[in-house]
Amino acid sequence: VLGRTEVRQTVAKTLNTSGLAPAAMNSTLGRVLSRGIESSLLAQAVMGWLENLESSLARGPKAMRTDLSLPSSGLGTGRVEVPRGTLIHTIQLERNRITDHDYLIPSLWNFSPRDSHGERGPLEHALLGTPVADPDHPLEIMRTVHELDPCNTCLVVIEDIDTGRTSVANAT
């Protein structure tokens, strides 16, 4: 993404138009902006894909045909970007049968604790310094959690280190 000119230009234009600094992208607002930017870029890409499809269709049905063959055994991994992040599926095939299927869902990436280098996960990073007006109803935190779009039920535990008070809220 860092090397793609159209992405860099769209992000820069969005930040400039909004009057925001690049650091704003590391926030709930940044997550919303990122989705809008991605949607805009995808809409532009779709137009190109449709043009390619139309030119292929004009060449006839054989231009659209792809012969596909799979080995009887092997390991395959597929990755796709979905609204919550990266989704990865890995399938083991033996004698034309699936013997193992594993997946990593975006929530595992987004809601993970610190990694092996001590770096915070996306949610922890996004929540740093978030002011909470009412710990019993942490609307500010819920907005950020919902922007990361968890596909699992989770609880938000708020620990106030100054008062020692702990509050729990359901994030679904």
Side-chain angles (χ1 to χ4, degrees):
V1 173
L2 292 176
R4 295 194 47 203
T5 303
E6 67 273 15
V7 174
R8 285 194 326 270
Q9 289 173 343
T10 305
V11 170
K13 181 179 177 182
T14 301
L15 290 173
N16 187 41
T17 302
S18 305
L20 297 170
M25 296 304 285
N26 292 322
S27 67
T28 302
L29 176 61
R31 183 87 172 155
V32 172
L33 284 174
S34 294
R35 286 184 175 176
I37 290 167
E38 181 179 33
S39 295
S40 173
L41 291 169
L42 281 173
Q44 292 171 30
V46 164
M47 297 310 292
W49 300 335
L50 286 173
E51 287 175 16
N52 289 341
L53 177 60
E54 286 174 351
S55 67
S56 293
L57 288 171
R59 292 193 309 268
K62 287 187 178 182
M64 296 297 295
R65 187 174 151 201
T66 301
D67 291 326
L68 176 67
S69 64
L70 293 173
S72 62
S73 297
L75 180 68
T77 300
R79 186 187 88 172
V80 64
E81 290 297 321
V82 297
R84 291 184 306 274
T86 303
L87 171 64
I88 300 172
H89 283 267
T90 302
I91 296 177
Q92 178 72 45
L93 190 65
E94 292 177 14
R95 293 187 302 253
N96 295 317
R97 293 197 170 267
I98 295 173
T99 57
D100 189 31
H101 176 214
D102 198 10
Y103 48 88
L104 290 171
I105 59 173
S107 292
L108 292 175
W109 303 104
N110 293 333
F111 294 84
S112 67
R114 294 180 186 221
D115 65 16
S116 60
H117 302 291
E119 295 293 324
R120 294 179 170 95
L123 177 64
E124 184 179 345
H125 184 68
L127 290 173
L128 277 177
T130 300
V132 177
D134 180 359
D136 292 324
H137 303 286
L139 179 62
E140 303 84 357
I141 288 177
M142 295 304 178
R143 284 183 179 145
T144 300
V145 169
H146 288 146
E147 273 309 309
L148 288 170
D149 200 12
C151 63
N152 50 329
T153 302
C154 63
L155 295 175
V156 173
V157 179
I158 301 167
E159 297 175 350
D160 186 333
I161 58 174
D162 295 329
T163 65
R165 183 170 182 236
T166 299
S167 300
V168 178
N170 190 335
T172 55

